[in-house]
Amino acid sequence: MYVPEHFDESRVEVLHELIDKNALGVLFTHGKSGLDANHLPFHLNKTQGQFGTLQCHVARRNPLWQDIATGDEVLVVFRAADAYISPNWYPTKHETGKQVPTWNYMVAHAYGRATIHDDERYVRAIVAHLTRKHEAAQPQPWKMADSPRDYIDTLAKAIVGIEIQITRLVGKSKLGQDEVLRDAAGAGKALEQRGDAMIGEAMLAVAASKSDRI
């Protein structure tokens, strides 16, 4: 990924938060059958390894877990938010005409080495982690014990775990850092008004950090 210096986000804690809040990642692999991409929910263990460890599971019928081998390098991409930016939202456009459309976004790329876990205990632990996290906000959180044991046993045998030891984290937050304050703020406010609150607020935070007053 091309990352100009002003869009670079290298703080591990910020990238961990992005992954935590946007757990559906795209796992890119290059196995025996060539390039492949799978959309999977991930659990992030922040304390395991220098950059953390990602855990997920796939259906046993998914050829992915047999197409790659333990030790293979993989890439997982997580996207927090993105939005089209109109030149009309920049005050300077109306003064000089010197603005063009762009697209802003926040992403994290996690590179790592995969380990295949064809282990029922392992996959049950992954499901438990994901369930606890994503059911926490429910009035009555669902847990595996709510379903018949033989039903869960059958499903657990039908999935395979994948663990990815993260070896490199690359982050990019393209939020108008290369624009003057009033242009970054103008686009951020326009996005908020259109319902793109996450990226709009992030752009306004960037604008607030600028020292120029043009």
Side-chain angles (χ1 to χ4, degrees):
M1 175 170 62
Y2 171 59
V3 186
E5 184 177 353
H6 44 277
F7 298 148
D8 178 57
E9 178 52 80
S10 56
R11 293 170 294 176
V12 173
E13 66 275 14
V14 172
L15 298 178
H16 277 178
E17 183 179 8
L18 187 155
I19 293 170
D20 249 348
K21 291 182 176 179
N22 304 276
L24 185 69
V26 184
L27 171 60
F28 293 94
T29 58
H30 193 185
K32 292 176 288 188
S33 301
L35 286 171
D36 194 12
N38 284 264
H39 301 256
L40 303 166
F42 285 87
H43 167 68
L44 171 65
N45 184 335
K46 299 177 184 179
T47 62
Q48 188 175 347
Q50 181 180 1
F51 299 108
T53 298
L54 294 168
Q55 298 171 318
C56 68
H57 63 274
V58 298
R60 186 172 292 278
R61 294 179 63 181
N62 186 335
L64 167 67
W65 69 277
Q66 293 176 310
D67 196 50
I68 62 173
T70 290
D72 281 359
E73 186 175 27
V74 299
L75 166 65
V76 189
V77 174
F78 297 91
R79 183 186 67 83
D82 71 279
Y84 171 79
I85 308 298
S86 170
N88 291 321
W89 301 341
Y90 294 133
T92 60
K93 178 266 182 187
H94 302 284
E95 299 163 3
T96 68
K98 295 180 180 180
Q99 286 288 1
V100 294
T102 191
W103 208 289
N104 284 357
Y105 51 90
M106 297 179 287
V107 295
H109 288 195
Y111 296 82
R113 298 285 177 181
T115 299
I116 307 302
H117 289 278
D118 190 5
D119 180 324
E120 188 175 333
R121 289 181 61 186
Y122 186 89
V123 298
R124 282 177 179 270
I126 294 175
V127 173
H129 284 308
L130 289 170
T131 300
R132 280 197 298 269
K133 177 181 177 181
H134 298 290
E135 284 286 327
Q138 297 298 320
Q140 292 183 308
W142 181 90
K143 54 187 183 298
M144 285 190 285
D146 291 344
S147 296
R149 183 171 180 175
D150 59 341
Y151 174 74
I152 295 296
D153 288 347
T154 299
L155 292 181
K157 290 180 174 65
I159 58 178
V160 177
I162 300 176
E163 180 178 85
I164 299 165
Q165 185 76 44
I166 302 174
T167 56
R168 183 161 61 105
L169 269 176
V170 180
K172 185 174 183 179
S173 291
K174 184 174 179 291
L175 299 168
Q177 295 94 327
D178 53 341
E179 303 293 345
V180 297
L181 184 151
R182 58 191 177 131
D183 282 350
K189 290 175 183 176
L191 287 171
E192 280 198 323
Q193 292 168 1
R194 285 159 175 75
D196 288 315
M198 181 183 292
I199 196 160
E201 290 172 3
M203 288 191 66
L204 288 174
V206 165
S209 70
K210 287 178 174 289
S211 59
D212 67 289
R213 300 293 167 185
I214 297 175

